[in-house]
Amino acid sequence: MTDLSADSGAPAARDLSDRDRAVLAAVDAGFDRALEDLRALVRIPSVPWDAYDPAHVQASAEAVAALAEGTGVFERVSIERAPIGDSEELGQPAVLAVRPAKAGRPSILLYAHHDVQPWGDEALWRTKPFEPTEIDGRLYGRGASDDKAGVITHIAAIRALAEVADPEVGLALFIEGEEEHGSRSFKSFLQQHAEVLSADLIVVADSDNWSTEIPSLTVALRGNAAFNVTLTTLEHASHSGMFGGAVPDAMMAFSRLAASFWHEDGSVAVAGLTEADLDVPEQTEQHVRTEAGVLDGVELIGSGPVLSRMWAKPSITITGVDAPSVPDASNTILPTVRFRLSARIAPGQSSAEAFAALERHIAEHTPYGARIEYDSVDLGDPFLVDTSGWGATAAKDAMADAWGAAPVEAGIGGSIPFIADLVQQFPAAQILVTGVEDPGTMAHSPNESQHLGVLRKAIGAEALLLARASERRE
Ligand SMILES: [Zn+2]
């Protein structure tokens, strides 16, 4: 059983060496500068989606490249664009910076992304989305946390490291420009630059912490399988008064199929979708109710520890239905209904296997012989970190020392699809998912913000990790 319980981390408050103290002092001394750099990045509206001006993503890449240059440790810094799949089209600009390891030292790849989600309705923001604003110890702005604070964590940690000693560890910095747009060129970027990106340890700084006081190492991520299904029963709509009662309605077929996806308690009822054997930290149902805005009197679904339902078990959500709207409703029997199903897949099962199980279930549970067609299938594999390597231990120790609190080994209900690409390209590397977010961050939403205490501790933890790795013999 993989133990994700809260007390499994390294002990807090250990004795630090003089070198470690010097590293943390350098982080503190450099924090105001790091914050200024973060503000400058947040001012650039680097939304990578097609409908937005790509000049901003380019400007953001240039700003990040200048920060990487400014650390003085890299042999080479460049802005790169890799092709999207097999097409000629190039993805958004990423920043690549490399410094080889001194003989016998490990190499570490540091990942974050400099693109951001669109800001949505500006009226819902308390501050201007691209005018970084500090309120009560948090910096507000789109990308202030996700993931420009991740970028700054790497930059500031490297600066602190370089201030204390000439780093011997190998470093590669990969700051992606289209994570929020599906990491379309991620795979070909890895292939193109495999040689310089190849590392013993990969640090993905794009996740969450347990709280502003307790860090997390994210060790379990659910995968996803999302797809559209069209159910058709008739060649054309028919009058419900004339034919209703004998002629099958696509909406009826859809409703009966949809109901088959869940047990009475809302847990998934699809044979072949598996659960992971994870021992999760304790969390109250009330906490989840409050965070998710569940109405009084509405019951939570599923069974077992509440975090295991979100981290270790599959879930199914129907996220859209194409059918006539109520104002357009007429007295007809519907010939066709289309819906989008989004399944979250437990760690330990491949997304292809889960999709096959869903296809089987749909074939077996679609009533009246309705025709079934699939389109827009999107699959992402789940991920379970092997925490037995030196990297996970070193990262947990560094977190405990920089935060003064033992980290929680956490799961995420969502997925980071590109992790599967990293695993495929670099099967021998240890992958660590860290981050600068906390439960109050509101990433992707209006009023996104970065907790500044968390940022400082995250930089400290990463700087300690790099400094210690720099003295390690591979
Ligand atoms: Zn992100």
Side-chain angles (χ1 to χ4, degrees), residues 285-286 289 293-301:
E285 291 205 357
Q286 189 53 48
R289 298 181 68 89
V294 180
L295 296 178
D296 282 345
V298 173
E299 296 162 21
L300 292 190
I301 59 170

PDB file of all heavy atoms in Angstrom, residues 285-286 289 293-301:
ATOM      1  N   GLU A 285     -15.310  15.724   5.785  1.00  0.00           N
ATOM      2  CA  GLU A 285     -16.265  15.972   4.703  1.00  0.00           C
ATOM      3  C   GLU A 285     -16.654  17.448   4.689  1.00  0.00           C
ATOM      4  O   GLU A 285     -16.878  18.031   3.631  1.00  0.00           O
ATOM      5  CB  GLU A 285     -17.502  15.088   4.883  1.00  0.00           C
ATOM      6  CG  GLU A 285     -17.221  13.615   4.644  1.00  0.00           C
ATOM      7  CD  GLU A 285     -18.467  12.844   4.237  1.00  0.00           C
ATOM      8  OE1 GLU A 285     -19.561  13.439   4.193  1.00  0.00           O
ATOM      9  OE2 GLU A 285     -18.346  11.634   3.949  1.00  0.00           O
ATOM     10  N   GLN A 286     -16.723  18.049   5.898  1.00  0.00           N
ATOM     11  CA  GLN A 286     -17.137  19.460   5.964  1.00  0.00           C
ATOM     12  C   GLN A 286     -16.155  20.350   5.197  1.00  0.00           C
ATOM     13  O   GLN A 286     -16.559  21.284   4.507  1.00  0.00           O
ATOM     14  CB  GLN A 286     -17.239  19.906   7.429  1.00  0.00           C
ATOM     15  CG  GLN A 286     -17.861  21.288   7.616  1.00  0.00           C
ATOM     16  CD  GLN A 286     -19.215  21.422   6.904  1.00  0.00           C
ATOM     17  OE1 GLN A 286     -20.075  20.560   7.030  1.00  0.00           O
ATOM     18  NE2 GLN A 286     -19.388  22.488   6.117  1.00  0.00           N
ATOM     19  N   ARG A 289     -16.925  20.039   1.641  1.00  0.00           N
ATOM     20  CA  ARG A 289     -18.221  20.703   1.361  1.00  0.00           C
ATOM     21  C   ARG A 289     -18.011  22.209   1.218  1.00  0.00           C
ATOM     22  O   ARG A 289     -18.523  22.835   0.292  1.00  0.00           O
ATOM     23  CB  ARG A 289     -19.211  20.448   2.504  1.00  0.00           C
ATOM     24  CG  ARG A 289     -19.577  19.002   2.747  1.00  0.00           C
ATOM     25  CD  ARG A 289     -20.593  18.910   3.892  1.00  0.00           C
ATOM     26  NE  ARG A 289     -21.849  19.501   3.461  1.00  0.00           N
ATOM     27  CZ  ARG A 289     -22.815  18.832   2.845  1.00  0.00           C
ATOM     28  NH1 ARG A 289     -22.672  17.527   2.620  1.00  0.00           N
ATOM     29  NH2 ARG A 289     -23.898  19.432   2.456  1.00  0.00           N
ATOM     30  N   GLY A 293     -18.335  24.344  -2.159  1.00  0.00           N
ATOM     31  CA  GLY A 293     -19.607  25.080  -2.167  1.00  0.00           C
ATOM     32  C   GLY A 293     -20.834  24.173  -2.257  1.00  0.00           C
ATOM     33  O   GLY A 293     -21.799  24.497  -2.954  1.00  0.00           O
ATOM     34  N   VAL A 294     -20.782  23.043  -1.545  1.00  0.00           N
ATOM     35  CA  VAL A 294     -21.932  22.120  -1.557  1.00  0.00           C
ATOM     36  C   VAL A 294     -23.054  22.716  -0.692  1.00  0.00           C
ATOM     37  O   VAL A 294     -22.820  23.133   0.442  1.00  0.00           O
ATOM     38  CB  VAL A 294     -21.523  20.730  -1.018  1.00  0.00           C
ATOM     39  CG1 VAL A 294     -22.718  19.784  -1.022  1.00  0.00           C
ATOM     40  CG2 VAL A 294     -20.384  20.152  -1.862  1.00  0.00           C
ATOM     41  N   LEU A 295     -24.252  22.746  -1.214  1.00  0.00           N
ATOM     42  CA  LEU A 295     -25.381  23.349  -0.506  1.00  0.00           C
ATOM     43  C   LEU A 295     -25.760  22.539   0.727  1.00  0.00           C
ATOM     44  O   LEU A 295     -25.634  21.303   0.720  1.00  0.00           O
ATOM     45  CB  LEU A 295     -26.602  23.433  -1.435  1.00  0.00           C
ATOM     46  CG  LEU A 295     -26.453  24.327  -2.665  1.00  0.00           C
ATOM     47  CD1 LEU A 295     -27.727  24.275  -3.502  1.00  0.00           C
ATOM     48  CD2 LEU A 295     -26.131  25.761  -2.263  1.00  0.00           C
ATOM     49  N   ASP A 296     -26.224  23.228   1.753  1.00  0.00           N
ATOM     50  CA  ASP A 296     -26.733  22.548   2.952  1.00  0.00           C
ATOM     51  C   ASP A 296     -27.817  21.570   2.546  1.00  0.00           C
ATOM     52  O   ASP A 296     -28.694  21.900   1.752  1.00  0.00           O
ATOM     53  CB  ASP A 296     -27.340  23.566   3.931  1.00  0.00           C
ATOM     54  CG  ASP A 296     -26.250  24.293   4.701  1.00  0.00           C
ATOM     55  OD1 ASP A 296     -25.092  23.805   4.676  1.00  0.00           O
ATOM     56  OD2 ASP A 296     -26.553  25.345   5.290  1.00  0.00           O
ATOM     57  N   GLY A 297     -27.755  20.380   3.112  1.00  0.00           N
ATOM     58  CA  GLY A 297     -28.782  19.385   2.804  1.00  0.00           C
ATOM     59  C   GLY A 297     -28.433  18.515   1.608  1.00  0.00           C
ATOM     60  O   GLY A 297     -29.043  17.475   1.411  1.00  0.00           O
ATOM     61  N   VAL A 298     -27.453  18.927   0.804  1.00  0.00           N
ATOM     62  CA  VAL A 298     -27.026  18.089  -0.329  1.00  0.00           C
ATOM     63  C   VAL A 298     -25.953  17.121   0.179  1.00  0.00           C
ATOM     64  O   VAL A 298     -25.026  17.536   0.880  1.00  0.00           O
ATOM     65  CB  VAL A 298     -26.471  18.958  -1.483  1.00  0.00           C
ATOM     66  CG1 VAL A 298     -25.869  18.094  -2.578  1.00  0.00           C
ATOM     67  CG2 VAL A 298     -27.580  19.841  -2.043  1.00  0.00           C
ATOM     68  N   GLU A 299     -26.079  15.835  -0.160  1.00  0.00           N
ATOM     69  CA  GLU A 299     -25.150  14.824   0.344  1.00  0.00           C
ATOM     70  C   GLU A 299     -23.920  14.706  -0.549  1.00  0.00           C
ATOM     71  O   GLU A 299     -24.025  14.862  -1.768  1.00  0.00           O
ATOM     72  CB  GLU A 299     -25.844  13.457   0.371  1.00  0.00           C
ATOM     73  CG  GLU A 299     -27.014  13.373   1.318  1.00  0.00           C
ATOM     74  CD  GLU A 299     -27.904  12.175   0.990  1.00  0.00           C
ATOM     75  OE1 GLU A 299     -27.422  11.227   0.339  1.00  0.00           O
ATOM     76  OE2 GLU A 299     -29.086  12.208   1.367  1.00  0.00           O
ATOM     77  N   LEU A 300     -22.774  14.391   0.064  1.00  0.00           N
ATOM     78  CA  LEU A 300     -21.606  14.031  -0.744  1.00  0.00           C
ATOM     79  C   LEU A 300     -21.845  12.636  -1.327  1.00  0.00           C
ATOM     80  O   LEU A 300     -22.638  11.860  -0.807  1.00  0.00           O
ATOM     81  CB  LEU A 300     -20.339  14.025   0.097  1.00  0.00           C
ATOM     82  CG  LEU A 300     -19.846  15.378   0.619  1.00  0.00           C
ATOM     83  CD1 LEU A 300     -18.449  15.219   1.220  1.00  0.00           C
ATOM     84  CD2 LEU A 300     -19.800  16.426  -0.492  1.00  0.00           C
ATOM     85  N   ILE A 301     -21.134  12.331  -2.411  1.00  0.00           N
ATOM     86  CA  ILE A 301     -21.301  11.028  -3.053  1.00  0.00           C
ATOM     87  C   ILE A 301     -20.110  10.130  -2.754  1.00  0.00           C
ATOM     88  O   ILE A 301     -19.072  10.597  -2.272  1.00  0.00           O
ATOM     89  CB  ILE A 301     -21.501  11.172  -4.581  1.00  0.00           C
ATOM     90  CG1 ILE A 301     -20.305  11.884  -5.213  1.00  0.00           C
ATOM     91  CG2 ILE A 301     -22.794  11.934  -4.882  1.00  0.00           C
ATOM     92  CD1 ILE A 301     -20.306  11.855  -6.734  1.00  0.00           C
TER      93      ILE A 301
END
